[in-house]
Amino acid sequence: MATTTLDIFRYQPDVSDASYRQSFELEHPSDLTLLDAILKLQDEQDGTLAIRYSCRSAICGSCACKANGKTVLACMTQVEDVKREFETETVQVDPIGNFAPLKDLIVDLDPFWDKFKSVKPYLVPDGPAPERERLVSKEDMQKLFRESACILCAACYSECNSLAADPDFVGPAALAWGYRFAGDVRDGQRKQRAKLYTGEHGVWDCTRCMYCNERCPKGVNPRDAIEKLGGIAFQEGRSMKDAGARHAKAFLLSMRTGGKLNETVLVPFTDPIKAHLDIPFAIQMMRHGKAPSPIPHRIKKLKEVQQLMKNVKETI
Amino acid sequence: MATQFAYYPGCIAEFSSKELDATTKALAPMLDIELLPMPAATCCGAGDIAEAKPNLYLTLNVRILSQAEEMGVDILTICNVCTLNLRRANKMVKEDARLLEQVNEELVKVGARPYEGTKEVTHLLWYLATEEGLSLLEKQGPRGLNGLRVAPYYGCQLLRPSSVMGFEDPDRPQSLERLITALGGEVADYEAKSKCCGFPIVLAREAVALRESHVALSQSRDAGADCMVTPCPLCHLAMDAYQRKAEALNGTEYNMPVLHLPQLIGLALGLDRKVMDFKRHMVPVDRVLETVGV
């Protein structure tokens, strides 16, 4: 048997508006999961301790919480593994991040579900239904393999740095589901989806902190899905429709003209109006020698790169 | 004999953050490193080209890897973003022979050398934060940082995803701390050291980006740091060049000097101050220089 101190975030709004922390000592078998540890506390020490859970098998995704600051599925995380990883005898348990707590470890998931619904997370095929089902080749389905594994546990959402700064950002899980349908050959809404996902708070708001890829317990890699949605947006003619898209386009222009980033082009191309209004900042940058040369850099063998840009076909 | 690397500074270090490139080049011989130029290497795409043309992104990065392979050396970078993009492309083609074949077909068509998948990509921080690396610093007999209190700022892309980066635990990184301590500085620890600086979206979504950088800037200030140090020129721009904007937006003052990693090492090893070109910083570093005594 092992002994662990669980330091748990408590919030009981029916008693008080203030949250607090409570420590529990627990004697347990060495292979106990974090979820079972919490349920054991609930059963044996404090019946008011609340956590949301269902399948206990890493399928439903409802028991996501933070263990020592890292978002995990409580049902697939062993207490002793957390202690080993963080070299501590105490496991601090918190509700997932970027959500308002409702009670103890249970959070208000409404914003998450609203965003999920906003990406139209279902197939919208074109034309009349065929006599048999709409078949998909193995190769085409492989393209969606990772995103199809998303269980909507919100671990990615919990850690998303863009969301922490902008609560309206659609977030990694919804966008991963967006790609799951935008990339599906059976779907007839590719163009509309490209438009839907690339406005304000969409694809171009991802700050690429990579937490979503790091934390996803199912290997979905939401950041990669966001990247693929950007590619689809470009294919569907949205390369100039948003400052984020124009920022990416400026990289392509730089690549074509010199092979390296042309900062002279980057700022005004990304947001021409702001670039003109932000002259004081530009002057400060110039004063410190940070103004780029107006003459674009030119790498050796640039023609190779220019030809690659013509030749390489996108197959998202 | 000096360890040779194909030197891939990345675009920002060569243009708006020239002080980083200059300091790295001046520091290299002191660390027994020979930096070989890569004149035909493109930009890594910084995640932006991947967002626009994923296949092109992969092909361009493999072309860079192939150039290092032709030179017979691994790649050394001084930028988190370049490290991630080059390592990611390397991993993708090393783990998928068919993908490598497809990319090589494109490279050969334009007269570029196909990649055999034999090279690695490392960051200066990783190279120095090992036992061997730290012994290179010791050999120089560093005069030290004189107790300078330094807040390590890793940023994101040198740590995550760990399946691609893999040098250290992304939740509890220690490489910068090891270097700061070895150089005679004190570590000002804070939670947000591995959070995002916001730079990738600063041009398109400035307010969101500045709210992101606020977290690290305010926490490092509250931890009593004399300065921050970062291994990434993009994080440097976000924290240094945009710091006054972040102060205005978030209604607070940080007044936090931000050093590039090679500048911190250079200060400790007694590198000529002029080479490190601190005048190019937007937030003055005077109090840092005063503490170190240069």
Side-chain angles (χ1 to χ4, degrees):
Chain A
M1 295 290 271
T3 305
T4 301
T5 304
L6 288 124
D7 173 30
I8 301 184
F9 173 91
R10 301 299 308 269
Y11 175 58
Q12 302 270 332
D14 50 339
V15 178
S16 163
D17 288 340
S19 63
Y20 60 101
R21 305 203 71 84
Q22 187 172 0
S23 281
F24 297 91
E25 294 293 318
L26 186 69
E27 198 171 290
H28 60 88
S30 59
D31 59 354
L32 192 75
T33 67
L34 183 57
L35 177 60
D36 282 336
I38 294 164
L39 295 178
K40 200 168 159 60
L41 292 178
Q42 195 185 59
D43 193 34
E44 296 171 2
Q45 299 190 36
D46 187 343
T48 68
L49 181 57
I51 183 168
R52 188 184 272 132
Y53 72 101
S54 180
C55 75
R56 303 167 77 155
S57 308
I59 293 168
C60 76
S62 57
C63 68
C65 62
K66 285 192 173 186
N68 286 356
K70 175 178 172 180
T71 305
V72 296
L73 286 185
C75 69
M76 66 179 282
T77 305
Q78 292 193 358
V79 173
E80 289 303 293
D81 285 347
V82 177
K83 287 160 68 179
R84 237 186 323 272
E85 183 183 345
F86 287 87
E87 295 166 355
T88 173
E89 289 306 305
T90 301
V91 175
Q92 186 179 310
V93 188
D94 289 277
I96 49 177
N98 290 326
F99 287 97
L102 289 177
K103 183 177 182 182
D104 296 340
L105 302 174
I106 297 173
V107 298
D108 178 9
L109 285 164
D110 282 354
F112 178 75
W113 294 121
D114 289 344
K115 289 170 184 176
F116 171 61
K117 287 176 202 161
S118 78
V119 302
K120 291 193 178 176
Y122 41 83
L123 274 177
V124 187
D126 262 349
E131 282 182 24
R132 290 183 63 205
E133 71 264 45
R134 295 174 199 272
L135 295 174
V136 190
S137 71
K138 187 179 172 188
E139 198 180 29
D140 282 334
M141 212 57 216
Q142 284 289 351
K143 288 183 186 173
L144 313 170
F145 174 74
R146 283 186 177 276
E147 292 77 13
S148 302
C150 176
I151 58 171
L152 290 163
C153 67
C156 57
Y157 195 100
S158 163
E159 303 270 5
C160 175
N161 283 197
S162 274
L163 264 162
D166 171 21
D168 291 329
F169 176 44
V170 174
L175 290 172
W177 275 83
Y179 174 71
R180 188 257 166 270
F181 293 105
D184 193 313
V185 291
R186 295 167 295 179
D187 193 78
Q189 298 274 302
R190 190 175 163 103
K191 202 173 191 71
Q192 293 89 328
R193 287 184 191 278
K195 187 177 176 186
L196 181 65
Y197 305 155
T198 53
E200 195 81 6
H201 312 300
V203 167
W204 313 113
D205 287 60
C206 168
T207 192
R208 303 176 196 152
C209 68
M210 302 290 167
Y211 267 105
C212 55
N213 281 15
E214 187 68 33
R215 290 290 190 259
C216 176
K218 293 292 183 181
V220 170
N221 290 345
R223 167 61 209 164
D224 295 5
I226 293 171
E227 192 176 283
K228 287 182 264 190
L229 282 179
I232 287 176
F234 265 67
Q235 286 178 4
E236 297 299 332
R238 303 203 63 80
S239 63
M240 296 294 287
K241 303 283 185 189
D242 184 282
R246 290 193 298 274
H247 190 255
K249 181 98 175 173
F251 270 79
L252 290 171
L253 290 173
S254 299
M255 196 65 79
R256 190 173 296 125
T257 51
K260 288 207 173 177
L261 178 61
N262 182 346
E263 291 172 291
T264 312
V265 168
L266 188 68
V267 177
F269 197 88
T270 301
D271 194 339
I273 297 169
K274 187 170 167 296
H276 281 93
L277 295 174
D278 218 356
I279 299 289
F281 182 64
I283 291 171
Q284 281 176 30
M285 292 284 275
M286 283 165 72
R287 272 201 197 136
H288 289 271
K290 293 193 180 298
S293 163
I295 304 162
H297 185 93
R298 192 179 167 90
I299 61 160
K300 289 192 173 169
K301 299 184 181 177
L302 179 61
K303 280 191 178 160
E304 273 181 19
V305 175
Q306 291 167 334
Q307 199 56 49
L308 279 175
M309 294 186 77
K310 282 184 190 161
N311 291 358
V312 175
K313 299 279 177 282
E314 297 301 331
T315 51
I316 316 155
Chain B
M1 189 184 160
T3 306
Q4 292 186 325
F5 284 107
Y7 176 50
Y8 188 83
C11 300
I12 298 298
E14 285 186 317
F15 305 137
S16 63
S17 299
K18 283 178 184 161
E19 70 279 6
L20 169 59
D21 180 48
T23 307
T24 307
K25 283 174 175 163
L27 205 57
M30 298 172 79
L31 300 173
D32 218 14
I33 296 171
E34 189 181 352
L35 300 173
L36 308 174
M38 303 184 76
T42 59
C43 167
C44 70
D48 289 88
I49 289 181
E51 241 171 27
K53 308 235 174 211
N55 289 352
L56 177 65
Y57 150 83
L58 178 66
T59 312
L60 291 172
N61 278 281
V62 173
R63 180 178 170 274
I64 299 167
L65 293 163
S66 168
Q67 286 165 16
E69 192 169 63
E70 190 170 17
M71 294 160 75
V73 289
D74 288 336
I75 292 179
L76 183 83
T77 74
I78 47 172
C79 172
N80 289 8
V81 177
C82 300
T83 311
L84 172 61
N85 283 289
L86 287 165
R87 284 182 70 86
R88 182 180 175 215
N90 207 17
K91 184 174 161 68
M92 285 167 79
V93 293
K94 279 187 178 186
E95 289 180 353
D96 187 339
R98 195 168 152 224
L99 186 62
L100 177 60
E101 200 180 316
Q102 287 167 356
V103 171
N104 277 341
E105 274 175 26
E106 297 291 353
L107 292 177
V108 170
K109 263 190 235 166
V110 300
R113 179 189 177 280
Y115 181 50
E116 292 166 30
T118 62
K119 290 301 155 203
E120 292 299 334
V121 179
T122 194
H123 188 287
L124 179 68
L125 171 63
W126 295 356
Y127 184 69
L128 293 177
T130 58
E131 289 297 318
E132 295 80 7
L134 291 171
S135 72
L136 291 170
L137 295 172
E138 261 175 37
K139 265 191 214 164
Q140 286 294 318
R143 67 179 190 196
L145 294 173
N146 203 21
L148 184 74
R149 202 165 154 73
V150 185
Y153 183 72
Y154 288 88
C156 304
Q157 299 190 4
L158 200 58
L159 298 171
R160 292 179 299 269
S162 54
S163 57
V164 177
M165 306 313 278
F167 179 77
E168 57 192 321
D169 181 346
D171 297 311
R172 293 180 308 150
Q174 284 298 309
S175 55
L176 274 175
E177 282 84 341
R178 279 205 293 278
L179 275 181
I180 292 165
T181 308
L183 295 170
E186 283 178 22
V187 174
D189 203 15
Y190 62 113
E191 196 189 338
K193 64 187 175 187
S194 58
K195 299 275 186 194
C196 186
C197 69
F199 189 79
I201 53 172
V202 78
L203 293 182
R205 307 282 191 265
E206 187 177 279
V208 180
L210 297 180
R211 284 199 289 272
E212 291 189 41
S213 61
H214 165 72
V215 182
L217 283 164
S218 57
Q219 283 190 14
S220 59
R221 175 200 61 196
D222 296 347
D226 294 316
C227 66
M228 294 170 91
V229 66
T230 178
C232 177
L234 300 174
C235 297
H236 187 271
L237 278 176
M239 299 293 176
D240 176 59
Y242 283 85
Q243 190 176 132
R244 298 302 182 211
K245 282 191 171 204
E247 286 180 336
L249 181 86
N250 295 296
T252 185
E253 273 188 29
Y254 318 112
N255 201 21
M256 182 59 64
V258 188
L259 302 184
H260 297 289
L261 175 66
Q263 287 177 327
L264 187 79
I265 300 169
L267 281 175
L269 299 192
L271 191 67
D272 183 356
R273 188 173 139 179
K274 281 184 192 158
V275 174
M276 294 186 273
D277 212 351
F278 292 110
K279 293 189 303 295
R280 295 176 58 86
H281 289 224
M282 303 276 272
V283 178
V285 298
D286 302 2
R287 77 168 184 242
V288 173
L289 304 179
E290 209 173 286
T291 305
V292 177
V294 296

